[in-house]
Amino acid sequence: MLNRLYYILLLLCVFCASCDFKLKANDDDDDPSAMKVERYDRLESRYVITGDFSALQQMNTEYPIETRTLVEKMLRIGDVSDHDISERFLRFYQDSTLQTLVSDVELEYANMEDINDGLRKSFTKLRKWIPKIPLPRIYTQIGALDQSVVVGDQMIGISLDKYMGAKYPIYKKFSYSKEQLETMNRSYIVPDCVSFYLLSIYPLKNHDSRTQLEKDLHMGKIMWVANKALGSEVFDTDYVRIISRYMKKHPDISVQQLLESDDYRDIQ
């Protein structure tokens, strides 16, 4: 799990540097109880399965940033401005494995109200502890079995193809470790969204010059807060337990203070 978070931290640097993320106007943007995943994956599925050009038009007009991220950063099949990018995108998904994956994802995630409910509850708690934390826009997509979650400036993209369950037959074709497979299921979507988003808001300063212990403790801190927001001990590592013991000894330290602190000398 620590390796996954390190990887996401690297991705954050790439996405934030290369994309100019903007939020869509929404009256409910600042209300965690109204959070709801946007189903970009359904437009994507409609286009790659049926070739419905109106779906592609919606992807480009209503979700230009999401489409650019998918095409250029995840699939890496070209630039969204390329004259033949729509045909290239469609051809990419004509692979039989990807066609099966797209269909299976749409069946598995026909309903995501449990995910919406988990996100609302978690971000309601985070907003209580950190009143000024910005709420992200969260959307779903179907990648090519690469990244599970991509995070940008107040945006989270969930790749549903990476959450089909440890026993999903297509996963057997790839060299996923047992540890990876254990996290590739529906129950990890909300935990991943919360932890990766917290990491984007509270990255470790001067990451490259910090000791490995400081890096591990920082990840432990992110995971500990995520557990509290989730109301469940999803993340269980030695460093999460260190943070837990530290917070029990220092009940006067708030969640916000913990996240904002960059000093790990007293945390052992």
Side-chain angles (χ1 to χ4, degrees), residues 114-206:
D114 58 322
I115 308 299
N116 289 325
D117 186 56
L119 290 167
R120 291 171 190 137
K121 289 178 179 178
S122 297
F123 278 93
T124 294
K125 289 182 182 178
L126 288 175
R127 177 55 69 83
K128 179 179 179 180
W129 300 329
I130 315 165
K132 293 185 178 180
I133 190 172
L135 299 181
R137 271 189 55 233
I138 305 175
Y139 67 96
T140 49
Q141 61 189 353
I142 304 172
L145 299 173
D146 193 1
Q147 296 103 314
S148 300
V149 172
V150 291
V151 185
D153 183 11
Q154 297 183 27
M155 294 180 72
I156 302 173
I158 305 165
S159 297
L160 295 177
D161 50 294
K162 291 297 292 291
Y163 294 100
M164 293 296 288
K167 296 182 179 180
Y168 183 54
I170 287 179
Y171 292 163
K172 295 178 182 179
K173 299 180 180 180
F174 302 90
S175 56
Y176 293 119
S177 68
K178 182 180 178 180
E179 181 187 38
Q180 287 175 310
L181 288 171
E182 288 175 352
T183 65
M184 293 169 67
N185 62 72
R186 191 183 192 105
S187 66
Y188 265 84
I189 291 180
V190 176
D192 281 353
C193 286
V194 173
S195 58
F196 296 160
Y197 189 63
L198 283 173
L199 184 60
S200 74
I201 301 294
Y202 298 99
L204 180 62
K205 299 175 184 176
N206 303 311

Side-chain angles (χ1 to χ4, degrees), residues 15-28:
F15 284 117
C16 290
S18 61
C19 299
D20 180 20
F21 288 109
K22 290 183 174 60
L23 295 176
K24 293 182 179 180
N26 189 326
D27 292 338
D28 294 326

Side-chain angles (χ1 to χ4, degrees), residues 57-68:
Q57 289 180 313
Q58 277 186 270
M59 290 167 63
N60 289 325
T61 57
E62 297 179 21
Y63 297 93
I65 296 169
E66 293 85 341
T67 301
R68 178 185 173 191

Side-chain angles (χ1 to χ4, degrees), residues 67-266:
T67 301
R68 178 185 173 191
T69 300
L70 178 62
V71 169
E72 298 181 1
K73 305 302 177 182
M74 296 188 66
L75 305 181
R76 296 182 289 276
I77 58 175
D79 192 286
V80 289
S81 62
D82 292 343
H83 73 281
D84 64 339
I85 196 62
S86 59
E87 292 82 3
R88 212 181 306 168
F89 183 81
L90 188 59
R91 285 198 305 270
F92 182 89
Y93 279 97
Q94 296 315 298
D95 174 85
S96 59
T97 296
L98 289 179
Q99 285 281 301
T100 299
L101 182 60
V102 170
S103 297
D104 289 347
V105 164
E106 294 309 299
L107 286 173
E108 174 66 25
Y109 288 97
N111 187 303
M112 291 188 66
E113 193 51 41
D114 58 322
I115 308 299
N116 289 325
D117 186 56
L119 290 167
R120 291 171 190 137
K121 289 178 179 178
S122 297
F123 278 93
T124 294
K125 289 182 182 178
L126 288 175
R127 177 55 69 83
K128 179 179 179 180
W129 300 329
I130 315 165
K132 293 185 178 180
I133 190 172
L135 299 181
R137 271 189 55 233
I138 305 175
Y139 67 96
T140 49
Q141 61 189 353
I142 304 172
L145 299 173
D146 193 1
Q147 296 103 314
S148 300
V149 172
V150 291
V151 185
D153 183 11
Q154 297 183 27
M155 294 180 72
I156 302 173
I158 305 165
S159 297
L160 295 177
D161 50 294
K162 291 297 292 291
Y163 294 100
M164 293 296 288
K167 296 182 179 180
Y168 183 54
I170 287 179
Y171 292 163
K172 295 178 182 179
K173 299 180 180 180
F174 302 90
S175 56
Y176 293 119
S177 68
K178 182 180 178 180
E179 181 187 38
Q180 287 175 310
L181 288 171
E182 288 175 352
T183 65
M184 293 169 67
N185 62 72
R186 191 183 192 105
S187 66
Y188 265 84
I189 291 180
V190 176
D192 281 353
C193 286
V194 173
S195 58
F196 296 160
Y197 189 63
L198 283 173
L199 184 60
S200 74
I201 301 294
Y202 298 99
L204 180 62
K205 299 175 184 176
N206 303 311
H207 181 273
D208 292 341
S209 63
R210 306 301 285 264
T211 67
Q212 188 59 50
L213 177 59
E214 289 175 312
K215 295 174 183 178
D216 290 337
L217 288 172
H218 186 76
M219 296 304 171
K221 179 171 70 174
I222 294 292
M223 291 176 179
W224 182 86
V225 174
N227 282 345
K228 293 300 179 184
L230 296 163
S232 176
E233 301 300 313
V234 176
F235 302 111
D236 183 21
T237 71
D238 291 341
Y239 301 101
V240 172
R241 288 188 285 274
I242 290 174
I243 299 299
S244 180
R245 290 195 295 269
Y246 175 78
M247 291 301 285
K248 286 179 180 178
K249 292 179 180 178
H250 300 84
D252 55 315
I253 297 178
S254 68
V255 169
Q256 183 168 348
Q257 289 172 326
L258 176 69
L259 289 170
E260 292 177 347
S261 174
D262 200 41
D263 188 350
Y264 291 95
R265 290 173 295 180
D266 294 332

